[in-house]
Each structure stands twice: as structure tokens, then as C-alpha cells.
């Protein structure tokens, strides 16, 4: 196999690849011109062990693990039902429902149904003086419903009521990071190669995600790490799948895309 530029056709200045036919001398004119990468794949093989190894040994596990690091935020930032903590029932004299009835006012929720207030409680002093019970903001912290989650970032840091917008801001920052990463990593991938983006993006994702778990007490720092993590996903995953597609038979494209999507669903 050898390459030739221009060959005998002066009008064609593009580089072509000359491949010696079977049992034909390389100096013979009986050669095959290769004009695109797909023809090279047809010669060297585009559906062999190497491609299968990348598909089943890399893409499938990668498609399962990478979304975990990103989509776990949906659960970590979940805000369960909560109500004001009011001291006086530490011994469990009253059931939870009875205690709520005594110390929490009822309000109309966002769904239009009546429920106990999540951010207000009755003023204990008004009870002592016999005055009409007044509502005041929670001043002793909150209690949380642990039916679905024992602990989340909002429950650990009391991101509720006046701070309930913190979780929404985190998701907004994540979307901004996705957009920035698509532009930045897309350019780097075209300029310096997709392998660099894949390796660097994965490392950044792992480090920044781990770091973000320890920055929740400082909100702006949590947003910064969350932004950095979001720049890597889903662009890094797209680049990984694209890199494999380019060296596989074109008939396998739908199978690879479907397999990577199914892997994400299996993770969920």
C-alpha cells in the first residue's frame, strides 16, 4: 500500500491512496484508487473484533456510568415535603398528624388543595396569652418527610422556603454548562482530536462531581462545580459514540446509537 499525490491527473490536486490489487505487481497500472475513509474501512475491516470490543466493552459501560454522574443531581436536589420544627413533642405524646394540627396553619398549595404550611407556624406566645394565633416564619428549622429520601442536599442545608430557588438555580446553571460544553468541547474535538476531549472530559467530570458533594454549604461554590460538571455532559458521551461510529460499518450506525440509548435506559 502506498500513497500518491496528484498521480498522472494534473487537474486533481487531492491526495489519493493507491492499493495494490491481489497478485498484481505494485508497479502495475492495475491499482485501485481510494478517495474516502469508508473505502479504507472496507479493506482493513469495519466489523471485526476491535469494533465489537469498543461497542460492548466501552460504549455500553460508558453510556451507563456517565449519565449516573449527571442525572444523580435530579435526586440529590430533590425537595421532599417539609414543615416547621416546633419543640414540645419530643416524647411523642402526640401523633404527627395531631401535632401538625396543633402547631401548623393550613394554606392552599400550588395544586389548589389545602395542606399544612411548609414555611409558617403558629406563634407559641400568642397561645400563651390567649390571643388569636398568629402565623410566623419557621424559626427552629424544619422537619422533612423521609419516605422517599433520607437525606438530600436541600434537606441537609435547609434549601427550602426563602432558599427554595437554590435547587432551580442549580439546574439552570447545569443547562448553561451543557451549552458552553457543547461549543467548547466540540471545537476542541475538531481541532485537537476527540480522544483528548473524551479523556479530559471524563477526568473533569469525575473530579468536579466529587468536589461538588463537599461544597453544598457554600452555594456559589456548589454552582461553580456544578457548572464545570455540566460542561462535560452530554457532549463527552456524544463524542464517544461518534468516535466509534466513524470506524464501524455504516450499516451498524443505527445499532450503535440504539445500544447506547438502551444502556442509558438500563441505568435508569
Amino acid at each position: 500500500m502506498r500513497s500518491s499525490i496528484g498521480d498522472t491527473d494534473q487537474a486533481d490536486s487531492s491526495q489519493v491512496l493507491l492499493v495494490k490489487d491481489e497478485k498484481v505487481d505494485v508497479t502495475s497500472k492495475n491499482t485501485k484508487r481510494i478517495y474516502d475513509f469508508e473505502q479504507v474501512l472496507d479493506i482493513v475491516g469495519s466489523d471485526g473484533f476491535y469494533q465489537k470490543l469498543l461497542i460492548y466493552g466501552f460504549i455500553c459501560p460508558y453510556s451507563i456510568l456517565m449519565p449516573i454522574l449527571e442525572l444523580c443531581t435530579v435526586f440529590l436536589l430533590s425537595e421532599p415535603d417539609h414543615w416547621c420544627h416546633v419543640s414540645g413533642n419530643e416524647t411523642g405524646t402526640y401523633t404527627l398528624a395531631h401535632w401538625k394540627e396543633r402547631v401548623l396553619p393550613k394554606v392552599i398549595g400550588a395544586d389548589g388543595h389545602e395542606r399544612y404550611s411548609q414555611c409558617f407556624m403558629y406563634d407559641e406566645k400568642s397561645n400563651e396569652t390567649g390571643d388569636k394565633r398568629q402565623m410566623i416564619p419557621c424559626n427552629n428549622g424544619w422537619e422533612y418527610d423521609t419516605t422517599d429520601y433520607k437525606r438530600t442536599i436541600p434537606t441537609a442545608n435547609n434549601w427550602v422556603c426563602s432558599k427554595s430557588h437554590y435547587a432551580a438555580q442549580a439546574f439552570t446553571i447545569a443547562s448553561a454548562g451543557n451549552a458552553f460544553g457543547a461549543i467548547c468541547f466540540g471545537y476542541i474535538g475538531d481541532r485537537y482530536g476527540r480522544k483528548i476531549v473524551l479523556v479530559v472530559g471524563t477526568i473533569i467530570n469525575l473530579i468536579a462531581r466529587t468536589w461538588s458533594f463537599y461544597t453544598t454549604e457554600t452555594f456559589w461554590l456548589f454552582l461553580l462545580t456544578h457548572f464545570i460538571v455540566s460542561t462535560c455532559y452530554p457532549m463527552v458521551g456524544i463524542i464517544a459514540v461518534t468516535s466509534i461510529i466513524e470506524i464501524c460499518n455504516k450499516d451498524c450506525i443505527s445499532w450503535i446509537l440504539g445500544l447506547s440509548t438502551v444502556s442509558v435506559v438500563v441505568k435508569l
Side-chain angles (χ1 to χ4, degrees):
M1 181 180 299
R2 63 189 179 88
S3 61
S4 173
I5 301 180
D7 199 42
T8 58
D9 189 358
Q10 298 298 327
D12 183 10
S13 60
S14 62
Q15 183 174 357
V16 297
L17 183 65
L18 300 181
V19 181
K20 183 178 67 173
D21 286 342
E22 249 183 49
K23 299 181 181 180
V24 177
D25 190 353
V26 71
T27 60
S28 172
K29 295 182 179 180
N30 188 17
T31 55
K32 182 180 179 181
R33 284 178 183 267
I34 306 299
Y35 289 96
D36 54 51
F37 187 66
E38 288 185 3
Q39 290 178 288
V40 176
L41 288 178
D42 291 337
I43 296 171
V44 301
S46 60
D47 190 23
F49 174 77
Y50 179 68
Q51 282 81 6
K52 290 181 173 64
L53 178 64
L54 290 177
I55 293 172
Y56 299 106
F58 175 70
I59 285 297
C60 287
Y62 197 84
S63 298
I64 292 174
L65 295 176
M66 277 298 290
I68 290 177
L69 297 175
E70 178 67 20
L71 298 181
C72 67
T73 309
V74 176
F75 304 101
L76 290 173
L77 292 176
S78 177
E79 182 183 311
D81 186 26
H82 53 278
W83 53 91
C84 299
H85 171 73
V86 182
S87 59
N89 193 36
E90 287 76 10
T91 59
T93 305
Y94 301 97
T95 64
L96 180 59
H98 190 193
W99 185 247
K100 285 183 177 181
E101 185 70 29
R102 289 176 59 90
V103 300
L104 299 178
K106 288 186 177 181
V107 297
I108 303 299
D111 57 357
H113 294 85
E114 189 179 58
R115 60 172 174 78
Y116 290 108
S117 175
Q118 295 180 318
C119 302
F120 291 90
M121 54 185 280
Y122 285 125
D123 186 1
E124 298 176 357
K125 294 181 179 179
S126 63
N127 291 338
E128 296 174 357
T129 59
D131 297 333
K132 183 180 178 180
R133 294 193 294 181
Q134 301 293 326
M135 292 192 304
I136 60 173
C138 301
N139 54 20
N140 296 315
W142 289 263
E143 296 182 31
Y144 298 93
D145 183 2
T146 57
T147 302
D148 298 319
Y149 307 101
K150 289 186 177 180
R151 181 184 174 92
T152 64
I153 293 176
T155 62
N157 298 278
N158 289 327
W159 288 0
V160 294
C161 296
S162 61
K163 296 182 179 180
S164 60
H165 61 283
Y166 280 15
Q169 287 184 359
F171 285 118
T172 302
I173 286 294
S175 298
N178 293 155
F180 179 81
I183 298 173
C184 181
F185 282 115
Y187 172 79
I188 295 175
D190 292 337
R191 179 82 175 179
Y192 302 102
R194 295 188 178 92
K195 184 178 179 181
I196 295 176
V197 174
L198 186 60
V199 174
V200 173
T202 301
I203 293 175
I204 291 176
N205 199 323
L206 291 172
I207 295 176
R209 174 59 67 195
T210 303
W211 184 27
S212 69
F213 295 149
Y214 299 96
T215 60
T216 56
E217 293 183 0
T218 307
F219 183 60
W220 70 267
L221 192 56
F222 174 77
L223 290 181
L224 175 62
T225 57
H226 200 50
F227 177 84
I228 294 173
V229 170
S230 300
T231 60
C232 304
Y233 183 86
M235 195 60 194
V236 174
I238 294 174
I239 287 178
V241 175
T242 303
S243 300
I244 305 303
I245 287 177
E246 288 183 342
I247 61 173
C248 291
N249 191 311
K250 60 182 179 180
D251 296 332
C252 299
I253 293 178
S254 298
W255 170 250
I256 296 172
L257 292 175
L259 196 62
S260 63
T261 303
V262 169
S263 298
V264 175
V265 175
V266 169
K267 182 274 303 180
L268 294 176

